[in-house]
């Protein structure tokens, strides 16, 4: 791969939407990419739409945990390797599937995930900031929003 010149033309994106993604495994994968000549990698997470083909509502806690795991991967990787993170928001699993988790129900999840990434973690202060930004009185992350 390094001899092909491809690492000078593209940057790989590592996709994983799991709440319990394997941090050590991702760090090892980044090391493999570096040995092949890739100087930068991207991460791909999801703030909605990656938990079930028929999912109607977004479980914020699942996506928050995924982003917190990605932060761990970033902190355990070389400082200069991460180019960015793409927060995906899947609307359907394929073109023949019904729509899932429409954007309006997922906006709180997007706000939580963005704030977690911006602040390098999630705290009560971060939660209060999201509530204030969205005009909400009680943001729930471990149950479905009412």
């Amino acid at each position: 791969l390094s001899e092909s010149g491809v690492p000078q033309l593209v940057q790989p994106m590592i996709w994983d939407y799991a709440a319990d993604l394997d941090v050590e495994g991702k760090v090892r994968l980044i090391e493999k990419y570096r040995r092949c000549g890739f100087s930068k990698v991207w991460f791909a997470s999801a703030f909605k739409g990656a938990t079930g083909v028929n999912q109607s509502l977004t479980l914020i806690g699942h996506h928050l945990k995924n982003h917190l795991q990605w932060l761990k991967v970033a902190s355990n990787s070389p400082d200069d390797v991460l180019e960015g993170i793409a927060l995906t928001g899947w609307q359907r699993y394929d073109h023949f599937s019904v729509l899932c988790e429409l954007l309006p129900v997922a906006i709180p999840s997007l706000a939580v995930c963005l704030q977690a990434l911006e602040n390098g973690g999630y705290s009560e202060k971060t939660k209060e900031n999201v509530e204030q930004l969205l005009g909400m009185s009680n943001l729930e992350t471990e149950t479905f929003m009412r």
Side-chain angles (χ1 to χ4, degrees):
L1 224 127
S2 57
E3 293 173 12
S4 72
V6 169
Q8 286 68 49
L9 301 173
V10 299
Q11 296 174 337
M13 184 173 287
I14 304 170
W15 302 73
D16 198 326
Y17 308 139
D20 60 349
L21 71 86
D22 178 9
V23 172
E24 291 177 18
K26 295 295 185 268
V27 171
R28 285 193 305 272
L29 181 59
I30 291 167
E31 291 168 0
K32 286 180 183 179
Y33 280 132
R34 297 276 289 216
R35 285 194 305 271
C36 290
F38 293 98
S39 60
K40 299 285 187 182
V41 299
W42 288 78
F43 299 158
S45 63
F47 71 91
K48 76 174 196 79
T51 56
V53 68
N54 294 324
Q55 192 76 21
S56 298
L57 302 173
T58 304
L59 186 56
I60 298 170
H62 173 88
H63 301 290
L64 173 60
K65 289 172 187 166
N66 175 254
H67 286 88
L68 295 176
Q69 292 296 92
W70 277 120
L71 286 170
K72 288 180 185 176
V73 174
S75 69
N76 287 295
S77 299
D79 290 337
D80 62 341
V81 72
L82 180 60
E83 185 69 12
I85 183 167
L87 279 78
T88 65
W90 296 101
Q91 193 80 13
R92 65 176 82 204
Y93 278 65
D94 61 52
H95 294 288
F96 302 106
S97 297
V98 297
L99 297 177
C100 65
E101 294 183 60
L102 300 180
L103 182 60
V105 299
I107 288 175
S109 180
L110 176 59
V112 165
C113 294
L114 286 170
Q115 284 294 303
L117 292 175
E118 173 93 6
N119 293 296
Y122 190 74
S123 65
E124 188 60 33
K125 177 72 175 138
T126 309
K127 178 182 182 244
E128 290 170 6
N129 190 34
V130 172
E131 288 173 340
Q132 181 182 5
L133 288 168
L134 297 179
M136 301 174 72
S137 60
N138 186 24
L139 178 68
E140 299 175 26
T141 59
E142 295 305 318
T143 59
F144 291 109
M145 294 292 297
R146 286 183 231 132

